Amino acid sequence: MGKVPAIVDGKLKLSESHAILIYLSSAYPSVVDHWYPTDLSKRARIHSVLDWHHTNLRPGAAGYVLNSVLGPALGLPLNPKAAAEAEQLLTKSLTTLDTFWLKGNAMFLLGSNQPSIADLSLVCELTQLQVLDDKDRLRLLSPHKNVEQWIENTRKATMPHFDEVHEVLFRAKDRCQKQREMATASKPGPQSKIIQFSTIGEKSDDPNLVQNTTDRRKHRRKWSRAEDAILISAWLNTSKDPIVDNEHKACAFWKRIGAYFNNSASLANLPKREPSHCKQRWSKLNDKVCKFVGCYDQALNQRSSGQSEDDVFQVAYQVYTNNYKSNFTLEHAWRELRHSKKWCSLYPFENSKGGGSSKRTKLNNGDRVYSSSSNPESVPIALDEEEQVMDLPLGVKSSKQKEKKVATIITIEEREADSGSRLENLWVLDEEEQVMDRPLGVKSLEQKENKVAPKPTIEEREAADSRSRLENLWALKEKEEREADSRSRLENLWALKEKDIEEQKKLTRMEVLKSLLGRTTDQLSEKEDILKNKLIDEML
């Protein structure tokens, strides 16, 4: 499409701001529900606002700003006629927004007390009016108090992100105002409204803004590998600081990183860099390294036997080039970050497909080794004492035999443990049976005979039968009494219900009669007149 905004999420390439907002809200579970509710009726209402925005507020606001201010910055002439038409549509849209979409006492669109993606889209549309002259902007917005309050509510609900996203726009507002004053002082007239936007986003207040910007761009410094390494170290140490937590505003976080970076002894001879420069460079590093980590994981997952770490890197490099149509030039940053938790591989090199480990070549002195994937003239890798006395890695057959022996030993030990537990269980059962089978002594026999209850006589059995019959009869009688009590309650409730129905009918007749008596005879039809007389007779 050749336009912004646009996103790339995996294989999905998506344009149009409303479609992007809906996709992000639906695809990521971490997005809070009020931005794009799961309730279908609420979603439908949000869609109606977004569709209305396309054909009303957007052409009105964008058309007026473009034809009254921004045209010359884009190489277009000012068009007063088109600006007047866009102003009419903008005024009408603001009235609809004020009286329809923001009706009631709610803080946001559609009567909600929490913002949605519709609020974000419409607020951003109106925020571009900041580049207008203050009088012109107030003339458009001041009649619509609900709209002004809604803009402020949305700004507060999305802080500090609202001011961060519109930072360039707010600087452009100040720049426009200064240039208007300068143009008015030098050449008063209709041309004073033309604004030069070549320096929007710069912080310098020098009048020769275009020339200064060009000079600064000529002397823009590239980032070296040493600077990248210090920046990575600064970010890692600042974000993992156990004393000062990292849950603070972005500006304070990047000021700390900028101070760490500029105070590094290895960069003492280089000019200082602003925190904003560090933030931009880190964003680029992080984005490309994260993409390469995914490509490296893909290469590790497809790794075949015999491939070294250099081979895997070359495959990952090729995957990156094919996926993103550019070369990966930040290998040094990846090697700095690859062992951190956020950027570590999902498939460790030693445990990936094909097994194996990186081969090392020993030196003559025996206390250092080189990686086979590196240049022998490069810096050697120091080993600990345990690694110095390590044996050579086992071959494929030796490894398999070792695994079989270990598995056999484990199986034998498990069987022995299982046999031991079974023998213990059998021994316990045998002891219990012996205790049960021991002959009873004299005293135990006498106690057992005394415990045996004598058989009841015929009279005792008849008395027990009589008692059980009496208990059954008593239970039946109580059950009948409960049922009778329940029936009587139901009858009373039904009588009250009927009485209530009658009262309701009577009240209804009285209301009908009252309405008929309030009208003259000429206004009543023949049936209504008959009904009125009938109701009067019933009341009397």
Side-chain angles (χ1 to χ4, degrees), residues 285-302:
L285 287 175
N286 183 36
D287 178 60
K288 291 193 174 183
V289 170
C290 285
K291 290 177 179 177
F292 185 77
V293 168
C295 299
Y296 190 78
D297 282 347
Q298 184 177 347
L300 274 180
N301 192 32
Q302 298 172 357

Side-chain angles (χ1 to χ4, degrees), residues 518-536:
R519 296 159 62 184
T520 61
T521 309
D522 298 337
Q523 295 175 344
L524 296 175
S525 64
E526 183 178 354
K527 292 183 179 180
E528 290 175 339
D529 190 39
I530 294 171
L531 177 61
K532 182 183 74 173
N533 294 331
K534 183 178 179 181
L535 292 174
I536 292 172

Side-chain angles (χ1 to χ4, degrees), residues 94-112 119 122 126 144-151 153-154:
L94 288 171
T95 304
T96 305
L97 183 62
D98 192 357
T99 58
F100 184 74
W101 297 119
L102 289 171
K103 63 182 177 181
N105 298 322
M107 298 174 63
F108 302 100
L109 295 175
L110 302 171
S112 176
D119 293 275
L122 270 64
L126 290 178
H144 309 286
K145 301 299 181 184
N146 288 340
V147 175
E148 290 183 322
Q149 184 60 47
W150 162 70
I151 293 174
N153 292 340
T154 308

Side-chain angles (χ1 to χ4, degrees), residues 11-81:
K11 295 184 178 180
L12 174 67
K13 299 178 180 179
L14 190 62
S15 60
E16 295 298 330
S17 57
H18 292 171
I20 291 171
L21 287 171
I22 292 171
Y23 169 75
L24 293 176
S25 302
S26 304
Y28 292 89
S30 58
V31 177
V32 186
D33 186 68
H34 67 78
W35 291 112
Y36 190 58
T38 52
D39 185 279
L40 293 180
S41 60
K42 292 181 180 179
R43 281 192 177 185
R45 295 175 68 196
I46 289 175
H47 282 230
S48 67
V49 177
L50 296 177
D51 291 348
W52 173 83
H53 174 207
H54 270 305
T55 54
N56 292 274
L57 189 62
R58 173 165 292 170
Y64 182 73
V65 172
L66 177 67
N67 291 293
S68 62
V69 177
L70 285 181
L74 302 176
L76 301 173
L78 295 179
N79 191 337
K81 182 180 178 181

Side-chain angles (χ1 to χ4, degrees), residues 116-153:
S116 67
I117 59 174
D119 293 275
L120 293 183
S121 184
L122 270 64
V123 158
C124 287
E125 197 69 58
L126 290 178
T127 307
Q128 66 181 320
L129 299 179
Q130 293 287 336
V131 299
L132 300 176
D133 182 71
D134 288 342
K135 293 181 180 179
D136 198 16
R137 188 178 70 258
L138 291 175
R139 177 180 62 82
L140 293 169
L141 291 178
S142 58
H144 309 286
K145 301 299 181 184
N146 288 340
V147 175
E148 290 183 322
Q149 184 60 47
W150 162 70
I151 293 174
E152 184 61 22
N153 292 340

